[in-house]
Amino acid sequence: MRGRTHNLTIGERVAWYRYRRGLSQEVLAGLIGRTADWLGKVENNRIELDRLSVIKSLAEVLDVTLGDLLGEPSLLDWTGDSGTATVPALRAALMNYRALGPFSGDLGAEPPTIAALKKQVGALWDAYQESRFGYVTGRLPDLLDRAQAAVDHHDGDDQGHARRLLGLAYQLAATQLTKLGESDLAWIAADRGLAAVRPTGDPLITGSLFRSVGHALHATGRYTEAVRLTEDAAGYLEPHLKHATPALLSVYGTLFLSGSMAAARANDTGTTRTFLAAADHAASQLGADANHLWTAFGPTNVAIHRVATAAELGDLQVAIDLGPRLDTTGLPMERRVRHALEVARAYSSWNRIDDAQTALLDAEQMAPEQVRHHFLSRQLALTWIRRQRGKPSAELVGLAQRLKVLD
């Protein structure tokens, strides 16, 4: 699949799978409550297909995964940062049976001190927020092995600390894997993280790990379940909020941001607004933008999600009015670039293609790996090329080639 349709738009993939399923445009359109004329425009790139709720509906009827239509997972390039052992090595680490049950003490890794492990976990989380995806992916297998070795080696309070750090390592693995479209592996990582932390009873790390579960649900299009997870996770954390630390408040607020995206993708406008209001209240209590436990949580991140949820709900007026005006320079690179992609989407939807291309090129300049691995970037660039009446500009062709959607 990856090799056959990497240079197709999402609409063209819909047509490809529709032919495979033997469905006419009239039948497929009717099954999702649309017209054949609308579907024809989607398949011919005359309508941008970038709302995940609609893409998910098409995937369900076609009996394919959301990733099949988004062109995910995408191949992680070998770079000086990544080395030549990337996702397969991480898959092997996650599926190593010796990390389970009675075998975990025989992984062969040297158990680090708690201080050394904490430093390694923090360094990789920082690298993720700098959008160094290859670097993080290439180093996660060693981190997971060392963190498990620390859990097996230490006892008492030190073992509790090691479990928390192992949980955060698994959370990072789940978060990174969703960025690469590896949704099944992300689910395994999220599950392992919660299992590692459960004996500690720590609400902060447990709440943080609920984010990775949410990411995995998002990646597979299970938006309604992600909404319920947000409600359940918030209920779990609420008894601990009376004397909440800034970190716990940040984790709590970030859960609602993730939930707001799930609600928007489920076309649930009311719940989207409720979750954004809850996140905004938590941000007001926090008082300013911060990055406790790598949440990048605060008023600016809430505003970013107002733009993103508006785009998912089809409210382009909010996205175009608010998006370009947000100052995200104080946030980690991953958040800044993710917002830039939303701005590019909003401009493109309003047919301000020059502004959209500028926003996307600026984002690529800041974080080429992140832009390369997001479906919006690939969809936008390839759609712009398909719509060109004449020869596309060298700048646009170069962008599409770097995104690996044009040979």
Side-chain angles (χ1 to χ4, degrees):
M1 180 60 201
R2 178 186 297 163
R4 296 191 66 178
T5 67
H6 70 282
N7 60 350
L8 300 183
T9 65
I10 296 173
E12 290 164 351
R13 289 193 190 97
V14 170
W16 194 87
Y17 281 111
R18 181 175 61 77
Y19 288 130
R20 288 289 303 273
R21 295 303 189 200
L23 298 175
S24 67
Q25 287 184 337
E26 290 78 7
V27 170
L28 178 56
L31 288 172
I32 64 165
R34 300 278 184 156
T35 66
D37 179 65
W38 174 87
L39 183 58
K41 290 177 180 177
V42 163
E43 292 183 351
N44 289 305
N45 302 307
R46 292 164 62 194
I47 293 177
E48 287 188 13
L49 191 56
D50 56 9
R51 291 180 60 192
L52 285 171
S53 59
V54 180
I55 299 169
K56 174 61 176 172
S57 296
L58 286 162
E60 287 176 344
V61 172
L62 291 167
D63 192 29
V64 298
T65 69
L66 183 62
D68 287 328
L69 293 187
L70 297 182
E72 294 180 337
S74 54
L75 186 66
L76 186 64
D77 291 334
W78 285 345
T79 66
D81 245 3
S82 71
T84 57
T86 57
V87 174
L90 182 51
R91 177 182 289 108
L94 289 171
M95 301 183 72
N96 184 357
Y97 77 90
R98 290 193 173 277
L100 306 175
F103 309 110
S104 61
D106 190 27
L107 287 173
E110 184 70 23
T113 65
I114 298 302
L117 181 60
K118 183 178 181 180
K119 183 177 180 180
Q120 189 177 4
V121 169
L124 276 196
W125 266 106
D126 290 344
Y128 166 77
Q129 289 196 318
E130 293 165 2
S131 299
R132 297 173 64 189
F133 290 177
Y135 179 88
V136 172
T137 304
R139 284 155 181 78
L140 269 168
D142 177 67
L143 174 61
L144 292 172
D145 285 349
R146 284 169 57 80
Q148 183 63 61
V151 170
D152 296 335
H153 174 77
H154 294 291
D155 53 23
D157 288 344
D158 279 350
Q159 186 182 69
H161 289 310
R163 284 189 173 277
R164 293 176 178 88
L165 291 167
L166 176 60
L168 289 172
Y170 275 123
Q171 181 187 348
L172 176 57
T175 303
Q176 180 63 84
L177 286 164
T178 57
K179 293 290 188 183
L180 302 177
E182 299 282 356
S183 54
D184 292 343
L185 289 180
W187 182 263
I188 293 173
D191 179 69
R192 290 277 184 86
L194 282 170
V197 171
R198 188 173 294 119
T200 70
D202 187 326
L204 175 63
I205 306 301
T206 302
S208 187
L209 272 156
F210 282 139
R211 283 195 292 150
S212 60
V213 178
H215 290 149
L217 290 172
H218 278 258
T220 53
R222 296 164 64 188
Y223 305 129
T224 302
E225 292 93 331
V227 168
R228 287 200 297 265
L229 169 71
T230 301
E231 294 167 343
D232 291 343
Y236 168 80
L237 289 180
E238 279 164 5
H240 305 280
L241 293 177
K242 188 174 182 181
H243 303 290
T245 63
L248 184 60
L249 196 59
S250 297
V251 166
Y252 180 73
T254 304
L255 282 170
F256 282 111
L257 293 183
S258 177
S260 71
M261 291 301 299
R265 290 166 180 169
N267 280 318
D268 186 343
T269 303
T271 301
T272 301
R273 291 173 178 166
T274 298
F275 284 174
L276 285 173
D280 190 50
H281 180 67
S284 297
Q285 289 181 287
L286 190 63
D289 292 331
N291 195 27
H292 300 289
L293 216 64
W294 303 282
T295 55
F297 183 69
T300 304
N301 207 351
V302 174
I304 283 175
H305 281 76
R306 290 194 188 282
V307 173
T309 53
E312 289 292 347
L313 289 166
D315 189 352
L316 295 177
Q317 186 69 55
V318 171
I320 202 69
D321 286 348
L322 178 59
R325 294 190 290 108
L326 282 181
D327 180 4
T328 63
T329 54
L331 296 186
M333 184 61 69
E334 185 275 332
R335 288 286 79 207
R336 294 175 60 191
V337 171
R338 181 63 185 87
H339 176 64
L341 296 183
E342 288 297 344
V343 171
R345 166 161 66 164
Y347 277 140
S348 185
S349 296
W350 275 57
N351 206 32
R352 293 171 59 178
I353 305 302
D354 288 344
D355 290 330
Q357 289 184 23
T358 297
L360 186 53
L361 287 166
D362 287 347
E364 186 199 24
Q365 188 72 26
M366 292 189 290
E369 287 182 274
Q370 183 175 352
V371 171
R372 156 85 173 85
H373 288 287
H374 202 285
F375 86 92
L376 269 179
S377 313
R378 303 190 298 268
Q379 171 73 3
L380 288 171
L382 199 49
T383 299
W384 295 334
I385 284 179
R386 294 285 197 270
R387 290 179 177 176
Q388 292 285 318
R389 294 186 180 275
K391 186 177 180 180
S393 68
E395 187 176 47
L396 180 54
V397 170
L399 173 64
Q401 288 174 335
R402 292 191 299 276
L403 296 179
K404 306 299 174 69
V405 295
L406 194 65
D407 297 327

